[in-house]
Amino acid sequence: MKNRNKNRGLFGRMSITGKVVVLYTFLFTFTIISISCVFLYSARSIGAGIVFSGLKENSSHIQAYITEGNELSEENIDDLINDNTVEYIIKNKNTGERYVSLGLRMADEYNAYDVPENVSKPSDSESKQKYIQPENVPSDSTPNDDINSAPDSDGSGEKVKLPFMLDNEYSVYSKDGKDYITVDNEVMYEGDMYSIRLFKSSADIMRFVKYIETRLYHIDLAGIVLAFFISAYISKVLLRPVTKIRETAEKISVEDLSQRIEIEGPDDELKELSITFNSMIDRLESSFEQQSRFVSDASHELRTPISVIKGYANLINRWGKDDPEILQEAVNSILEETEHMSVMIKNLLFLARSDQHSNHVQIQPMSLGDAVNDIAKDLSVMDEKVEVETDISEDIIINGDPDLIKQMLWIYTENALKYSGENKKVQYKLYKENGYACICVKDNGFGIKDEDIPHIFERFYRVDKSRNKEIPGNGLGLSIAKWIMDIHHGKIEVKSVVGQGTEFINKFPIN
């Protein structure tokens, strides 16, 4: 066992509480980190989308400004955009006139962001206009003839699809290690074609992403620590019923089986486990009580015949040696008590094997009519003074053990003879009722009180022991009869009137 535990690994050797804490902490941590990764992955696109929307809106304003016939000037365009982080180059393709943002004018770098002046595609002999190239595009690529072609798929720009704006695209260009988001448009007014290029550095976006990354790092760290404590609390709450079961089990012993688990909380598996545990303890307590009562009653029943035998043995030892009459009386009593003990021990052994499910039972198709007739016939031969009546309307075949069913009928018959007066009468009746084959054994004896009927099938129980102390018996016969009916999945009904007799109705299911 120890070697097996060593081979199970660290997680396998952990307690259930530890496993629950580890699993919940891992689950919470994985969820937090996954959400953070998705958020960081989307943060740049979200920031770029915001910039793109602003550039597109400014481009639309400029187009409207041109088509309305307003005078174009760099000062007017600066006021129209009203954002010094947005750079622009607006060019009249027909006249070559262009307007450049203040930032580019001050840096004197607008030629680096410009577009070719000619409308048609330049030849190889013409000088190539320098413009921003993406990092993954060769520097000798030839630009197209208009500004709108710059971000096209020919390699002059890197197309980026916004995840939340399916109908729009923007271009990302790199220059001197810096990324720029660019929007290109064209507008025609009074025969002049104007190309509009707006672009903005992505440095602000990266600062935003870095800020989010730092905050998420701290949030994730705090979330992992919090997840550990939450997991520990959840495991404690979930396993509280298990702890109660363990504590209750530690208190239970053979001397004290009264402890039970408190049933509370939702209807979950742990509550079902608590109910099952209590039910098991109920059965154990009942079994121990029956065993204790059985041992006590068996000791009492055996003590009486042993005392009688011992008394007559002493009588023989003192006076019986010389007195044949006393000797014969003592021998008869000893034989009688020995027979009584033999029957009782036989019944005890039968019940003990029944409790251990070791009695040999042969279930087979059998005739109940034949069993009843055999018992009635044997009774008539054994005692001619007994009035025997049989009422068999039809023979009924069931699956049962013939020997056990006859033994049960003999138990009822012997009780009828023992507990009846001088004019003994025993009636047997066989009939069908509601899917059952019914055997009724009725006598005209003393009868049983209503308060005694629920207990007559208990072991060693005898009705009115003071009145019946002269009647031989040990109170085990009806317990055996009850077991025989249980093994046949049947049931017993008892009807009795004091002073008139008792009726035992045994109902067997008909297959």
Side-chain angles (χ1 to χ4, degrees):
M1 181 63 70
K2 292 182 178 179
N3 294 332
R4 185 184 303 175
N5 290 334
K6 290 181 179 179
N7 297 329
R8 289 171 62 186
L10 178 61
F11 186 79
R13 296 195 299 269
M14 294 176 64
S15 64
I16 296 179
T17 303
K19 290 178 181 178
V20 172
V21 171
V22 170
L23 290 176
Y24 272 96
T25 302
F26 173 78
L27 179 62
F28 290 153
T29 302
F30 178 79
T31 303
I32 292 172
I33 293 178
S34 299
I35 294 174
S36 300
C37 291
V38 172
F39 192 80
L40 281 176
Y41 177 80
S42 304
R44 182 170 182 175
S45 296
I46 293 173
I50 295 173
V51 173
F52 168 77
S53 299
L55 293 178
K56 184 178 179 183
E57 183 179 0
N58 285 323
S59 179
S60 300
H61 292 165
I62 295 173
Q63 292 180 60
Y65 185 83
I66 294 174
T67 55
E68 290 173 0
N70 296 310
E71 179 183 357
L72 277 178
S73 67
E74 292 170 345
E75 291 76 8
N76 292 340
I77 297 174
D78 288 340
D79 294 339
L80 184 64
I81 295 177
N82 195 27
D83 186 353
N84 56 9
T85 62
V86 176
E87 309 295 342
Y88 63 86
I89 299 176
I90 302 174
K91 186 173 184 179
N92 188 324
K93 289 188 174 184
N94 297 84
T95 64
E97 184 179 7
R98 70 187 164 186
Y99 308 90
V100 183
S101 61
L102 178 61
L104 294 180
R105 294 198 304 271
M106 294 178 63
D108 196 21
E109 291 184 352
Y110 55 86
N111 285 331
Y113 301 88
D114 203 359
V115 294
E117 295 184 2
N118 56 317
V119 176
S120 61
K121 183 176 182 180
S123 63
D124 294 337
S125 61
E126 294 178 313
S127 60
K128 297 180 178 63
Q129 179 71 35
K130 185 179 179 182
Y131 64 101
I132 302 174
Q133 291 283 355
E135 292 178 349
N136 60 340
V137 178
S139 59
D140 59 350
S141 299
T142 303
N144 285 343
D145 59 347
D146 56 30
I147 195 168
N148 201 36
S149 65
D152 212 6
S153 60
D154 61 355
S156 59
E158 179 187 356
K159 287 278 189 175
V160 180
K161 193 74 173 178
L162 292 180
F164 54 88
M165 301 177 66
L166 300 179
D167 297 331
N168 297 292
E169 292 178 339
Y170 65 88
S171 298
V172 177
Y173 292 86
S174 296
K175 177 176 172 55
D176 299 331
K178 297 181 180 180
D179 291 336
Y180 295 86
I181 298 174
T182 304
V183 172
D184 298 306
N185 280 311
E186 291 182 340
V187 62
M188 177 74 73
Y189 178 69
E190 293 183 352
D192 291 334
M193 176 65 72
Y194 292 88
S195 60
I196 305 171
R197 169 171 287 180
L198 301 179
F199 50 94
K200 184 176 181 178
S201 173
S202 62
D204 292 338
I205 300 175
M206 296 311 297
R207 284 194 296 271
F208 170 75
V209 172
K210 188 64 177 178
Y211 173 82
I212 294 297
E213 181 180 357
T214 303
R215 291 295 180 267
L216 285 178
Y217 173 78
H218 293 95
I219 292 173
D220 289 350
L221 185 61
I224 292 173
V225 175
L226 183 63
F228 174 80
F229 287 105
I230 292 176
S231 301
Y233 174 76
I234 290 176
S235 66
K236 183 178 179 181
V237 172
L238 288 178
L239 297 177
R240 187 176 298 162
V242 178
T243 303
K244 290 183 178 179
I245 293 175
R246 178 182 59 81
E247 293 175 350
T248 304
E250 291 176 350
K251 297 177 182 177
I252 292 175
S253 63
V254 176
E255 292 77 15
D256 183 14
L257 291 172
S258 61
Q259 299 292 330
R260 297 294 184 274
I261 300 173
E262 295 182 4
I263 306 299
E264 57 184 11
D267 295 332
D268 54 10
E269 290 79 1
L270 291 176
K271 186 174 182 179
E272 292 179 359
L273 177 62
S274 300
I275 295 174
T276 303
F277 183 85
N278 286 344
S279 177
M280 179 191 69
I281 299 302
D282 289 339
R283 293 193 298 271
L284 285 175
E285 185 177 22
S286 176
S287 177
F288 275 113
E289 289 178 353
Q290 290 180 1
Q291 183 180 14
S292 177
R293 186 168 58 250
F294 179 82
V295 172
S296 175
D297 292 340
S299 301
H300 176 75
E301 293 294 331
L302 288 172
R303 185 171 63 247
T304 301
I306 290 175
S307 298
V308 173
I309 292 174
K310 182 178 179 181
Y312 277 106
N314 290 331
L315 181 64
I316 293 175
N317 187 42
R318 291 181 181 181
W319 300 289
K321 297 177 182 178
D322 301 325
D323 191 337
E325 185 177 349
I326 294 177
L327 178 63
Q328 187 62 43
E329 179 185 355
V331 169
N332 291 339
S333 297
I334 291 174
L335 290 175
E336 183 179 344
E337 293 299 328
T338 303
E339 178 65 21
H340 174 70
M341 288 178 60
S342 176
V343 173
M344 182 173 61
I345 291 173
K346 179 180 178 182
N347 290 336
L348 286 173
L349 290 175
F350 183 92
L351 290 173
R353 288 194 298 268
S354 301
D355 293 338
Q356 297 175 1
H357 306 285
S358 59
N359 274 332
H360 186 57
V361 180
Q362 291 184 331
I363 301 297
Q364 59 188 6
M366 61 162 292
S367 168
L368 289 180
D370 291 345
V372 171
N373 285 326
D374 290 344
I375 297 298
K377 182 178 179 181
D378 292 343
L379 177 59
S380 299
V381 173
M382 183 181 68
D383 192 344
E384 296 180 354
K385 297 180 180 180
V386 179
E387 181 181 353
V388 180
E389 293 183 4
T390 58
D391 182 4
I392 302 177
S393 58
E394 60 175 315
D395 192 12
I396 304 175
I397 304 298
I398 66 165
N399 286 329
D401 187 315
D403 293 334
L404 289 179
I405 291 179
K406 288 182 180 180
Q407 181 180 357
M408 179 194 68
L409 294 177
W410 261 119
I411 290 171
Y412 296 138
T413 301
E414 288 178 350
N415 282 347
L417 298 178
K418 288 189 294 185
Y419 296 101
S420 297
E422 295 182 359
N423 299 321
K424 296 179 174 61
K425 180 178 180 181
V426 181
Q427 297 174 296
Y428 301 95
K429 186 177 181 181
L430 176 63
Y431 58 95
K432 289 182 180 181
E433 183 180 81
N434 298 327
Y436 286 93
C438 302
I439 299 179
C440 175
V441 181
K442 185 177 181 181
D443 62 53
N444 61 344
F446 306 139
I448 305 172
K449 296 179 180 179
D450 292 340
E451 58 267 24
D452 290 323
I453 290 178
H455 304 286
I456 60 176
F457 295 104
E458 297 177 3
R459 297 175 184 181
F460 295 108
Y461 185 86
R462 299 188 69 188
V463 177
D464 196 355
K465 292 185 178 182
S466 62
R467 187 187 67 179
N468 297 326
K469 62 183 179 180
E470 302 298 330
I471 300 175
N474 47 50
L476 295 176
L478 291 180
S479 299
I480 295 175
K482 178 67 167 56
W483 179 85
I484 293 174
M485 287 302 297
D486 290 340
I487 207 68
H488 287 85
H489 307 289
K491 53 186 179 180
I492 305 175
E493 293 182 4
V494 181
K495 299 178 180 179
S496 183
V497 178
V498 176
Q500 296 183 19
T502 303
E503 182 178 4
F504 289 90
I505 303 173
N506 304 272
K507 296 185 175 182
F508 298 88
I510 300 176
N511 297 329

